Amino acid sequence: MPATRFADVRRFDELDSTNRYLLDEARRGAPDGVVVVADRQSAGRGRLGRRWEAPPGACLLASVLLRPRLPLSERYLTTACVALAAVEATAEVGGVALGVKWPNDLLAPDGRKVAGVLAEAEGDAVVVGIGVNVAWPTDDADLAAPALADLAGRATSLAALAGQVVSRGDLLDGLLAALEPRAAALDEAAGRRRLAAELRSACTTLGARVRVDLADGPIWGTAVDLTADGRLVVETATGRQVVAAGDVTHLRTTG
Ligand code: BTN
């Protein structure tokens, strides 16, 4: 791999959460570029306060520490960088074309989830964690446990999509190589414009019929745009709504 800012890669058999570990390191002043990877997590964190469940050794569980110099309103691009780098790496390493579901899931062409990204800030540092289903689940039988019932029919893995073993090490190397130019782009206005454009073209939510579950109930409509600060614009029967955070479901259209 060509030299990148990601020279300090810390590997663990087990952590509670790679994001938690790096947030603590960020508080102690760890520099931009530290990477942490774990084979398993006992308390993996997901979006909206959820847990991220993964059997030992089957998923890429990694976090990177970035200290981008950018306006707060464009911080969402830090998360986007990692999602876009993962799209590039999964195509190169696994031959699998993934799309980005707003705000930060990676979906297979059939809509099943392959990866999730979670960014957490600590001062000017942003820890971006990614969990990629590499070898698990192979099929819905892997999701039979009650704790995983929510994922049945909604999650798959790179190996299942590629029909072959995919190496977690190669995927991490590919991800970090693809992340380097994007992390550099965060520090320049022109770079951020490029990233925003790349996100628009990778974002399969745009143009989709969606249901968005918000704190005060669901809305339905067509996702039509992303704002300059990364929020989702949904055209509903009663007008446009701008969504900052929520659970999006892509709806299948009939006919
Ligand atoms: C989501 O889809 O809800 C986001 C999931 C992010 C999971 C990854 S796994 C590595 C990193 N460490 C964590 O505790 N969470 C992220």
Side-chain angles (χ1 to χ4, degrees), residues 128-142:
V128 192
I130 182 163
V132 185
N133 297 336
V134 176
W136 171 95
T138 47
D139 55 36
D140 271 358
D142 282 351

Side-chain angles (χ1 to χ4, degrees), residues 16-20 36 41 43-48 50-52 60-63 104-105 113 115-120 128-132:
D16 53 348
S17 154
T18 56
N19 268 29
R20 194 280 311 152
V36 59
Q41 297 180 123
R45 301 178 181 179
R47 277 184 69 233
L48 306 172
R50 298 186 184 123
R51 281 178 67 104
W52 177 265
L60 174 63
L61 308 169
S63 300
N104 46 20
D105 284 346
K113 180 164 171 171
V117 179
L118 175 68
E120 299 181 84
V128 192
I130 182 163
V132 185

Side-chain angles (χ1 to χ4, degrees), residues 71-158:
L72 208 53
S73 61
E74 292 180 88
R75 241 190 193 179
Y76 77 97
L77 290 171
T78 312
T79 319
C81 261
V82 172
L84 292 167
V87 167
E88 182 177 330
T90 49
E92 268 183 32
V93 176
V96 173
L98 301 179
V100 178
K101 187 183 89 168
W102 185 91
N104 46 20
D105 284 346
L106 300 189
L107 302 188
D110 67 4
R112 285 181 296 167
K113 180 164 171 171
V114 176
V117 179
L118 175 68
E120 299 181 84
E122 174 60 43
D124 71 344
V126 185
V127 169
V128 192
I130 182 163
V132 185
N133 297 336
V134 176
W136 171 95
T138 47
D139 55 36
D140 271 358
D142 282 351
L143 303 171
L148 303 172
D150 260 14
L151 297 176
R154 298 177 50 218
T156 188
S157 60
L158 291 179

